[in-house]
Amino acid sequence: MKKYLQKLAEAESLTLEEMMEAAEYLFSPNITEAEIAAFLMGIKAKGETTEEMTGLASVLRNRAMKIQHAPVGVMDNCGTGGDGSHSFNISTTAAFVIAGAGIPVAKHGNRSVSSRTGSADVLEHLGVSLELHSAQMEEILMENEIAFLFAPKIHPSLKRIMKVRNDLKIPTIFNLIGPLTNPVNLDTQLVGTYRRDMLEKMAMALHQLGRRRGITVNGSGFMDEASLAGENHMVLLDEGELIPFTLQPEETGLPMYDNTDIIGGDASDNAKILLDVLKGRNGAYRDTVLLNAGIGIFANGKAGTIQEGIHLATESIDSGAALSKLEYLIDYSAKSDRKVI
């Protein structure tokens, strides 16, 4: 690891091969926490490259729990976190809406690292098990077309890294590559990031990881979700081509809201918001979910435009399809717990 720390100290980027070798050292039992912290800070201070993100994500995926069977056309809509917006769990709620629109979703997520409530926190509060093994996740994904992949369960080698990240208390390259480490061979993906300067680099990383199509988004106010408060910046990946574009709230057919209108709370608060949205309650929370689910459906290619995606997202909620996806997960988890007892 020393040669890579020296290279980072001189503000030199690592090649894809160097990053993959460094990542193997990073997960070695012999590495110290000081070396881990120095490596993370060296990458952050220099600035992350596409090759570094792809290399680290590839090593993590190789070390992850294997999810062998997944439906055709499966996607994820995991964001990076780290935007400091204190919003409710937008992408988690939108995942059920996307699945309710007929698109399989392997929802990758974690507990809160830099925000108040992570996807795992809110789903656990709702009764979704975080302790399912790979065969159960595959069964749920094939039958329900949405499963939750709890990052610490999927990535056991990250335990020491998580401790260092929690001690640092600032976003690192692991925040950026979190959405890229889904062990399922995704066809398409929607990635929200708090870093507007990383949109094209992350879209290219999606391409290098084998995604056919995807969108990276940085919302108004530098949220890691699309927002109805103002201009959203995005990059569409389509068969290897990168297409930057912007989206204004008035183009969506949805009302405008300030970002303060979509602030969430603790796991209990956000669980209630999620359920309210899936049960059809109108307002800023629902419309923000419709926007993000609509973008996800467009990213997948099921909709030809974001506006069409929003229409399909609306049908997913109003038909009860989105809620039924969550209810399946809760019921399956309850039955699984009873089997363990």
Side-chain angles (χ1 to χ4, degrees):
M1 180 60 84
K2 183 179 178 180
K3 64 179 178 180
Y4 297 124
L5 291 176
Q6 184 64 42
K7 194 169 183 179
L8 294 175
E10 295 171 0
E12 294 182 28
S13 295
L14 306 184
T15 66
L16 177 64
E17 293 74 18
E18 287 175 333
M19 188 62 178
M20 292 182 73
E21 185 177 356
E24 294 292 353
Y25 289 135
L26 201 63
F27 300 120
S28 164
N30 299 321
I31 196 169
T32 67
E33 290 185 3
E35 287 175 307
I36 296 172
F39 186 81
L40 297 184
M41 293 309 297
I43 292 282
K44 184 177 181 65
K46 174 192 67 65
E48 306 86 349
T49 67
T50 294
E51 288 72 23
E52 288 165 348
M53 290 189 292
T54 302
L56 182 55
S58 296
V59 169
L60 265 171
R61 293 184 76 241
N62 289 339
R63 288 172 160 264
M65 176 191 290
K66 302 306 178 188
I67 307 293
Q68 305 283 7
H69 302 101
V72 175
V74 65
M75 74 173 295
D76 190 8
N77 69 325
C78 180
T80 61
D83 63 8
S85 68
H86 306 295
S87 61
F88 75 106
N89 297 92
I90 299 168
S91 64
T92 307
T93 313
F96 292 103
V97 180
I98 293 169
I103 298 170
V105 180
K107 183 72 179 83
H108 192 228
N110 205 345
R111 294 195 186 278
S112 170
V113 175
S114 56
S115 61
R116 189 173 177 187
T117 307
S119 54
D121 300 308
V122 70
L123 290 176
E124 183 180 50
H125 188 86
L126 288 165
V128 175
S129 175
L130 307 181
E131 298 301 324
L132 302 177
H133 53 71
S134 59
Q136 291 172 310
M137 292 180 193
E138 289 176 2
E139 179 184 5
I140 293 170
L141 193 51
M142 295 301 293
E143 290 189 2
N144 191 45
E145 293 197 322
I146 180 170
F148 181 67
L149 282 54
F150 182 40
K153 187 80 173 177
I154 295 291
H155 303 289
S157 60
L158 274 177
K159 188 173 182 180
R160 291 186 71 206
I161 305 291
M162 283 299 299
K163 181 183 182 304
V164 175
R165 290 178 64 196
N166 286 326
D167 289 343
L168 289 174
K169 294 183 172 61
I170 59 172
T172 68
I173 189 172
F174 277 93
N175 290 82
L176 293 174
I177 62 105
L180 308 180
T181 62
N182 194 315
V184 176
N185 289 322
L186 303 173
D187 182 52
T188 58
Q189 192 163 1
L190 170 63
V191 178
T193 176
Y194 66 100
R195 292 272 302 275
R196 190 167 293 174
D197 63 313
M198 298 299 291
L199 286 174
E200 290 198 24
K201 290 180 181 179
M202 293 190 74
M204 181 53 68
L206 290 178
H207 173 61
Q208 291 180 354
L209 289 166
R211 312 293 188 258
R212 174 182 61 82
R213 186 177 162 96
I215 287 179
T216 55
V217 57
N218 176 262
S220 177
F222 295 91
M223 289 185 65
D224 73 327
E225 315 274 2
S227 164
L228 288 165
E231 187 172 67
N232 299 279
H233 291 249
M234 305 187 211
V235 174
L236 169 66
L237 164 69
D238 188 11
E239 304 289 356
E241 183 181 4
L242 301 186
I243 307 167
F245 68 102
T246 59
L247 181 70
Q248 301 283 357
E250 53 266 29
E251 299 176 66
T252 68
L254 297 168
M256 287 190 70
Y257 300 95
D258 192 271
N259 285 340
T260 57
D261 295 328
I262 53 172
I263 288 176
D266 60 17
S268 175
D269 297 326
N270 287 5
K272 183 179 185 305
I273 293 169
L274 187 154
L275 281 175
D276 283 347
V277 169
L278 296 189
K279 290 178 179 178
R281 183 171 182 176
N282 292 320
Y285 297 128
R286 171 189 165 103
D287 290 338
T288 301
V289 168
L290 290 176
L291 172 63
N292 283 274
I295 293 170
I297 294 168
F298 172 65
N300 176 267
K302 181 161 187 174
T305 64
I306 290 174
Q307 291 78 6
E308 183 186 346
I310 292 170
H311 175 71
L312 293 174
T314 303
E315 289 184 347
S316 173
I317 293 177
D318 292 347
S319 68
L323 180 60
S324 72
K325 300 295 184 181
L326 172 61
E327 290 173 339
Y328 179 102
L329 285 186
I330 296 170
D331 291 345
Y332 188 102
S333 297
K335 292 174 184 175
S336 175
D337 288 344
R338 285 197 293 272
K339 288 178 184 176
V340 171
I341 294 170

